Amino acid sequence: GENVEQHPSTLSVQEGDSAVIKCTYSDSASNYFPWYKQELGKRPQLIIDIRSNVGEKKDQRIAVTLNKTAKHFSLHITETQPEDSAVYFCAAIGGGYQKVTFGTGTKLQVIP
Amino acid sequence: EAQVTQNPRYLITVTGKKLTVTCSQNMNHEYMSWYRQDPGLGLRQIYYSMNVEVTDKGDVPEGYKVSRKEKRNFPLILESPSPNQTSLYFCASSLSGGLAGLETQYFGPGTRLLVL
């Protein structure tokens, strides 16, 4: 089955700096990669996603890049703000299955 | 309001006492899924359902059962709970199980379960 590894597990950045979270996946048939943000005590919420036929996608301060050859994808947050502090999860889906495999999460702390 | 609801939100029980966590969505979604969230392990899929009467195992199905008799409901059943099932459980739904339908999974508020 699919295996998704996510790094780092914790990340502290100064407000205004950039943050990068990386995930690798094992199943080359996976073709959809969402990112979720989970604030303390709340449910995960989708923040951005990318399909396998796209190399990069941006939404304001958030971007995701995908390298299919290397089987890894990354979340980039620029100009970080304290409200970006949360746990971020990557996931991989596809390959003819409807299983969803999540990474283990990255706790991001943005220091004012 | 479009939403996924779960009940109960908090539950303390004892080993071996059967329990059911309900999940309901009002968006006419075909795909529903259960996850458990544990520190350091992220979210792990327990079971999912493509539609009524169609269910399949996720990555950690042992000790759990599900049913999908109606489109809107997807209860999670623990026949004989054990302490290692202490966790935070999330139900989620999406439009369909096809790739496009999975693009937005709506999560319920979570159920925190403690098994003594």
Side-chain angles (χ1 to χ4, degrees), chain A residues 1-2 31-32 34 36 38 41-46 49 51 87 89 93-94 97-105, chain B residues 4 31 35 37 40-45 48 50 57-59 88 90 97-100 102-105 107-109:
Chain A
E2 176 66 278
N31 49 16
Y32 172 61
Y36 288 84
Q38 186 179 28
K42 296 192 176 180
R43 70 194 80 186
Q45 291 196 305
L46 180 72
D49 55 12
R51 288 177 177 258
V87 178
F89 292 97
I93 301 165
Y97 303 99
Q98 286 69 39
K99 277 187 180 181
V100 181
T101 302
F102 282 86
T104 50
Chain B
V4 179
Y31 184 95
Y35 301 91
Q37 184 174 18
L41 297 177
L43 289 147
R44 293 179 292 167
Q45 194 171 38
Y48 62 93
M50 296 287 289
K57 296 177 181 179
D59 289 324
L88 176 60
F90 285 102
L99 195 60
L102 276 172
E103 283 183 357
T104 303
Q105 276 198 93
F107 282 82

Side-chain angles (χ1 to χ4, degrees), chain B residues 20-74:
Chain B
T20 299
V21 183
T22 64
C23 173
S24 183
Q25 50 91 6
N26 62 0
M27 296 170 280
N28 202 35
H29 284 172
E30 292 183 349
Y31 184 95
M32 297 185 75
S33 182
W34 276 102
Y35 301 91
R36 60 177 290 174
Q37 184 174 18
D38 302 288
L41 297 177
L43 289 147
R44 293 179 292 167
Q45 194 171 38
I46 302 170
Y47 270 95
Y48 62 93
S49 170
M50 296 287 289
N51 213 324
V52 175
E53 302 293 1
V54 181
T55 63
D56 211 342
K57 296 177 181 179
D59 289 324
V60 288
E62 296 79 18
Y64 303 95
K65 286 175 59 177
V66 293
S67 69
R68 188 90 182 273
K69 293 183 170 56
E70 306 167 279
K71 199 171 189 178
R72 62 182 292 128
N73 296 323
F74 190 44

Side-chain angles (χ1 to χ4, degrees), chain A residues 43-97:
Chain A
R43 70 194 80 186
Q45 291 196 305
L46 180 72
I47 55 171
I48 196 167
D49 55 12
I50 192 166
R51 288 177 177 258
S52 60
N53 59 350
V54 175
E56 183 176 2
K57 183 177 178 181
K58 287 184 180 178
D59 183 2
Q60 300 182 334
R61 297 186 295 109
I62 295 174
V64 56
T65 58
L66 171 65
N67 183 324
K68 280 185 62 179
T69 303
K71 290 191 281 188
H72 68 69
F73 56 111
S74 300
L75 177 71
H76 305 251
I77 306 174
T78 59
E79 301 172 22
T80 53
Q81 301 167 3
E83 52 264 38
D84 294 330
S85 295
V87 178
Y88 292 81
F89 292 97
C90 62
I93 301 165
Y97 303 99

